[in-house]
Amino acid sequence: MFDVLRVSDPVAVFAVVAFLILLAPIVMGRWQLPGTIGLLLAGAVLGPNALGVLARDQSFILFGTVGLLYIMFTAALEIDMVVLKRSKLHSMVFGLLTFAIPQSLGTLVGHFLLGFSWPAAILLGSLFASHTLLAYPIASRLGIAHDTAVTTAVGGTIITDTLALLVLAVIAGSVRGEVDEFFWYRLAASLGLYVLAILYGLPKLARWFFRNVGRDGVTEFVFVLAVVFGCASLAHTAGSEPIVGAFLAGLALNRLIPHNSPLMNRIQFTGEAIFVPFFLLSVGMLLDLRVFLSGWRAWLVAAAMLATVIVAKWLAAQISSKILGYNTAQARVVFGLSLAQAAATLAATVVGYEIGLFDDAVVNGAIVMILVTCVIAPWQVDRYGRRMVQTMEQDSEPMAVEQQRILTALTEASPSRHLLDLAMLLRKPEHEQPIYPISVIQDNGDTSALVSSAERVLGNAVNYLSQAEVPSTPLTRIDLNLASGILKARRELNASEVLMGWSEQSRAPEFFFGSLMENLLRDRDFSLVVLRPREPLNTTRRVLLAVPPEADLEPGFNNGMMLIKRLSRQLSAPALLITPEKGSDRMFKRMRSLRPDCDLTLGPTDTWPALTRVLKELHRDGDLIVLIGARQGGMARLHAMTRLPEELSESFPNSNLIFLYAGESRTGNPSSVVNPEPATRMT
C-alpha cells in the first residue's frame, strides 16, 4: 500500500536516518521528552509494519545490535569503581530482587492467567526478569551516573540478566533434551572460564597494548571496538548472550579508560551519534499492529505482559529503595533504568518461539512490551533524574568563588601528551575552566624560529585537548629564563596548578631540582606538579603516595591531597599512603576526610630515610610513585628530601614518578570535607 514511499537507495536511507537522529531531540524537546522516545516512535511509524519508508534490513539489524552492545559496554565503562566497590551489596540486593519478583510474578501470570505450561510460563517470567539499560545515556548526560542509586541499577543489571539468560538456557536445553547429569558442570565451567578470561585476561592485554602499541587515538579506539565485540561474540560459546560479554568487557577496561580522556570522548560520541540511534530505530520497527486485528487473545497476552513487567519492576525498585534508603527520585530512576526490555527479552522470545513454547501472540506481545517500556523508561529517568540533580544542588554547599586554573608548561623535549593527560585527570570539569598550555622561549636575540616551534607544540596540544572536548587557551612567553616566564604567566592567570615535565635527556636533574625548582617554589600561591613519565598514565594499577612526616601540618596539605585523590579516583587506582609511623593515623584520618573519595589505605614506614627501601619492597609493575615535597621553611622540610627525587629516579627508572609541591594560599573549602571514615591499615 505504501511501497511508493519506500526509500531503498543506501545513501538516501542514511540521509533519512541522519535527519531523524537530528530532529528527534529537537521535536521531543518541545514536550520536554527525551529524544530516545522520538527515535522509537519514528521507527514504528516509518518502519515496514506502518508507512514502509524504511526496511528493517541487515544494515539496521547490524547497527541495532552494535548499538545495544554499545549501551551495555559504555554503562559498565562509566561505572565509578569506588562507588561500585562501596555499594556492591546494594547491587546484589537490587539485582536479586529485580530478578526474583518479575520471574515469580511472570511465571504465575503465564500459567494461571494465560494457561501456559510450566516450562513456557517459567520462560515467560525470564522475559520480565531481564532488562536493558536503554535510558542510561540520559542518566549520564544529566550527570548522575556516579550516584549510588544509578550505580546500583547498573550493577544489578548484570546479575538479573545473567540469571534470566541461565533460565533461558535451562528451559531450552530441557525442551531439546540437552539437560543431562553433566549439563550444569558444562555450563558452570564454560561461564567461569569466560568470565575469568575477560575480567583477568583482558586488562592485561589492554595494558600491554596501551603501553607498547597504542600511540594514537584511532588505534586505541579500534582496539577497544575489536576487543569489546570479540568478547561479545564469544558469549554464545560460553552459554550466555553478547550483552553479558559487552558488559564484562566494559568492567575489564574501566580502569584503563579515564572518564576525562580523548578515548572516552570518542567512545561516547560514536555511540550516541550513530550506534544507539540505529538501535532505537530498529526496536521501533518491530511493532506490527496488524496482529492485534486477528483476535482478542493477542490483546490479552500483550496487556498481561505489559502490566506484569511494569508492576514487577516497580515493586522491585520500590522494595530495593526502601531497603537501601533511597529517596523517591532515586527509586523512580532505578525503576526507569530497570524497566526497558530489549536484547535478552528478544533472545528469550525468539528461542521460545523456535522450540514451540510461544506462539505469534506472545511474540507480538513481547514487541509491544519492548516498545512501550522503551518509551516509559527514558521519560522516567529524564524526569526524576532532573529532580535528583536539583536535590544534589540544594544539598551541596556553594562552590568556592576561586576557580581552578591549570598551567601546563610544554617544550619539544618534554612529553606533552603525558602532561596533557595529567592535566585532564587533575582538572575539575564542573569549573569549566580551560587548560592553559604554555611554551616559554628564552630571549637570546633571534627568537623567530623558536616561536614557530613553540606554536607548533601548542597547536598539537590544543588539538589533543579538543579531542576530549576540553577547552584550552595556549600561551607563548618570551623571557630571560624558564622559571621567570612561567611565574609571570602564573601570576597573570592566577593559576592554581603548574604542571611540568621532567626529561633527563633535556636537562640535568641537579639543575632541574636545583636552581630552577628553587626559583619556582619561591611563589607559594600555586601547586607545582612535576611528572617523569615512562608509560601512559591510564595503565596505572596503584598509586604509591609518599608523604613526609608532619606534612599534614603544612598549610597546603589539603590542596595537595585533594589533587592526588582526584588523580587516584580518575585512574580507578587505589592509593597506598606511605609515611613514618609517628603521626600516620592522624594524617590518614585527615586525608580520608577530604573530597573526593578514593580507595585509600595506610602502610606506614619505620623512618623517613627508609622510604626508598620500603618503596622497592612494595613496588609492582604499573605503580605510579607520588612524592609530596615541602618548601623551604616548612614543617615537613627535611634535608634528606633534597636528593630524594634524583634517588627515586635512579631506583625506579621504568616507573612513572610525580613530585608535588602543594600551594599554600588555597586551602580546601568547607565543602571539600566529609565525615572521616574508619581508618584501615595495610602493612
Side-chain angles (χ1 to χ4, degrees):
M1 178 177 178
F2 297 103
D3 288 345
V4 68
L5 300 175
R6 174 161 296 179
V7 178
S8 56
D9 180 66
V11 177
V13 169
F14 197 87
V16 171
V17 172
F19 275 109
L20 291 174
I21 296 172
L22 172 66
L23 295 176
I26 298 174
V27 175
M28 290 295 104
R30 295 176 63 89
W31 291 280
Q32 296 184 342
L33 295 173
T36 53
I37 296 178
L39 291 170
L40 288 165
L41 296 177
V45 173
L46 301 179
N49 298 320
L51 296 180
V53 176
L54 299 174
R56 194 174 188 272
D57 54 15
Q58 287 300 316
S59 61
F60 271 96
I61 295 174
L62 171 63
F63 280 100
T65 303
V66 170
L68 172 62
L69 298 179
Y70 223 82
I71 290 174
M72 300 300 293
F73 167 64
T74 54
L77 199 62
E78 292 187 20
I79 289 178
D80 191 322
M81 300 305 289
V82 174
V83 177
L84 180 63
K85 183 177 180 181
R86 191 171 58 231
S87 62
K88 57 186 176 183
L89 182 60
H90 289 207
S91 296
M92 292 182 63
V93 169
F94 173 70
L96 294 176
L97 284 174
T98 200
F99 168 78
I101 294 176
Q103 177 69 58
S104 304
L105 186 59
T107 301
L108 295 176
V109 169
H111 183 71
F112 293 105
L113 179 61
L114 302 179
F116 289 174
S117 64
W118 280 113
I122 294 173
L123 185 58
L124 183 70
S126 72
L127 268 65
F128 310 134
S130 64
H131 62 254
T132 299
L133 292 170
L134 175 81
Y136 182 83
I138 297 175
S140 180
R141 285 196 296 271
L142 291 175
I144 59 173
H146 292 170
D147 185 83
T148 304
V150 177
T151 304
T152 296
V154 174
T157 297
I158 196 61
I159 296 175
T160 187
D161 279 4
T162 301
L163 293 175
L165 293 171
L166 284 176
V167 172
L168 170 62
V170 173
I171 295 297
S174 64
V175 172
R176 292 168 177 160
E178 298 173 354
V179 177
D180 54 24
E181 56 181 322
F182 299 107
F183 173 80
W184 293 105
Y185 297 105
R186 291 196 303 268
L187 184 62
S190 61
L191 280 177
L193 289 174
Y194 179 66
V195 172
L196 286 174
I198 293 179
L199 294 184
Y200 293 96
L202 180 56
K204 297 181 183 296
L205 172 64
R207 186 171 280 107
W208 173 86
F209 181 88
F210 289 136
R211 282 179 175 176
N212 301 287
V213 181
R215 289 292 180 264
D216 63 86
V218 175
T219 305
E220 293 177 347
F221 178 71
V222 174
F223 168 76
V224 170
L225 286 184
V227 297
V228 169
F229 292 106
C231 293
S233 66
L234 294 174
H236 285 301
T237 306
S240 186
E241 288 293 318
I243 56 172
V244 176
F247 191 90
L248 291 175
L251 288 178
L253 296 176
N254 183 287
R255 295 181 181 274
L256 295 167
I257 305 179
H259 192 267
N260 299 326
S261 66
L263 180 56
M264 177 65 87
N265 185 61
R266 291 188 182 97
I267 292 171
Q268 293 174 331
F269 173 81
T270 305
E272 293 181 8
I274 299 178
F275 294 143
V276 175
F278 263 98
F279 164 67
L280 296 171
L281 287 171
S282 67
V283 170
M285 291 178 179
L286 292 172
L287 182 63
D288 187 0
L289 295 176
R290 293 172 295 183
V291 175
F292 297 97
L293 302 177
S294 60
W296 63 269
R297 188 172 184 278
W299 290 97
L300 174 63
V301 171
M305 293 178 68
L306 185 58
T308 301
V309 71
I310 292 176
V311 171
K313 290 296 184 181
W314 184 85
L315 284 174
Q318 287 296 117
I319 295 174
S320 300
S321 298
K322 292 294 184 184
I323 295 174
L324 303 175
Y326 298 156
N327 58 38
T328 302
Q330 289 176 310
R332 294 298 179 87
V333 167
V334 171
F335 168 62
L337 288 171
S338 62
L339 177 61
Q341 305 292 304
T345 302
L346 282 175
T349 303
V350 171
V351 172
Y353 184 79
E354 290 176 349
I355 63 180
L357 292 179
F358 294 159
D359 56 12
D360 290 335
V362 177
V363 173
N364 284 275
I367 294 171
V368 171
M369 181 178 69
I370 290 171
L371 183 62
V372 175
T373 57
C374 287
V375 170
I376 296 175
W379 172 71
Q380 284 279 306
V381 174
D382 185 74
R383 180 180 180 183
Y384 290 97
R386 294 179 187 277
R387 293 189 184 180
M388 285 178 58
V389 173
Q390 294 172 357
T391 302
M392 288 188 290
E393 290 177 349
Q394 292 171 359
D395 293 343
S396 61
E397 297 186 24
M399 186 183 299
V401 175
E402 193 170 31
Q403 298 290 310
Q404 181 192 42
R405 292 189 177 94
I406 299 178
L407 187 67
T408 307
L410 302 178
T411 65
E412 283 191 312
S414 65
S416 59
R417 177 175 175 177
H418 297 300
L419 267 178
L420 295 173
D421 285 337
L422 179 60
M424 287 186 284
L425 292 170
L426 296 178
R427 176 176 175 264
K428 299 177 182 178
E430 64 271 16
H431 282 197
E432 299 181 353
Q433 281 287 325
I435 290 175
Y436 296 86
I438 182 174
S439 183
V440 178
I441 301 166
Q442 288 188 329
D443 189 1
N444 56 5
D446 184 12
T447 60
S448 56
L450 296 176
V451 169
S452 298
S453 176
E455 289 178 346
R456 183 172 60 255
V457 171
L458 294 177
N460 293 334
V462 171
N463 180 61
Y464 185 71
L465 292 171
S466 67
Q467 295 174 20
E469 295 187 353
V470 174
S472 59
T473 303
L475 305 170
T476 304
R477 291 289 187 273
I478 300 177
D479 213 305
L480 295 176
N481 57 66
L482 180 63
S484 176
I486 291 176
L487 290 176
K488 287 179 181 178
R490 208 284 315 164
R491 295 188 186 106
E492 290 174 7
L493 293 171
N494 194 25
S496 54
E497 288 89 28
V498 173
L499 274 56
M500 298 183 64
W502 171 30
S503 173
E504 292 91 341
Q505 286 74 30
S506 61
R507 53 178 67 88
E510 59 271 15
F511 167 74
F512 190 80
F513 285 97
S515 59
L516 176 60
M517 293 291 290
E518 289 174 0
N519 289 331
L520 289 173
L521 293 177
R522 288 195 182 105
D523 185 346
R524 297 175 177 266
D525 293 340
F526 73 98
S527 295
L528 178 63
V529 184
V530 181
L531 170 67
R532 199 287 302 270
R534 284 294 179 265
E535 56 192 26
L537 288 171
N538 65 313
T539 62
T540 301
R541 296 176 184 267
R542 185 177 57 164
V543 177
L544 298 181
L545 176 58
V547 183
E550 312 297 336
D552 56 322
L553 303 179
E554 295 271 7
F557 180 78
N558 283 12
N559 296 319
M561 292 306 103
M562 287 189 288
L563 283 174
I564 298 305
K565 292 185 73 174
R566 189 178 306 122
L567 176 64
S568 171
R569 182 155 186 168
Q570 285 286 339
L571 293 172
S572 296
L576 177 63
L577 173 61
I578 303 170
T579 190
E581 179 111 29
K582 183 179 179 181
S584 60
D585 288 331
R586 179 194 66 218
M587 182 184 297
F588 182 67
K589 289 178 181 179
R590 183 170 176 184
M591 287 182 62
R592 289 294 293 267
S593 69
L594 298 172
R595 287 181 177 171
D597 191 16
C598 74
D599 189 353
L600 179 67
T601 51
L602 176 60
T605 62
D606 294 331
T607 59
W608 183 247
L611 174 66
T612 303
R613 175 181 58 80
V614 173
L615 285 174
K616 287 182 178 180
E617 294 173 355
L618 294 173
H619 184 267
R620 300 196 299 261
D621 181 49
D623 283 348
L624 166 65
I625 299 176
V626 179
L627 174 65
I628 303 299
R631 300 168 189 264
Q632 288 289 348
M635 290 285 295
R637 181 70 179 182
L638 300 174
H639 178 71
M641 296 185 67
T642 306
R643 279 273 310 161
L644 195 52
E646 298 173 47
E647 184 179 334
L648 292 180
S649 176
E650 295 169 358
S651 301
F652 304 95
N654 300 317
S655 298
N656 288 338
L657 300 177
I658 289 180
F659 306 102
L660 171 63
Y661 298 83
E664 296 182 355
S665 70
R666 301 165 184 261
T667 58
N669 59 68
S671 64
S672 301
V673 182
V674 296
N675 292 330
E677 301 178 34
T680 57
R681 179 183 298 272
M682 186 172 79
T683 58

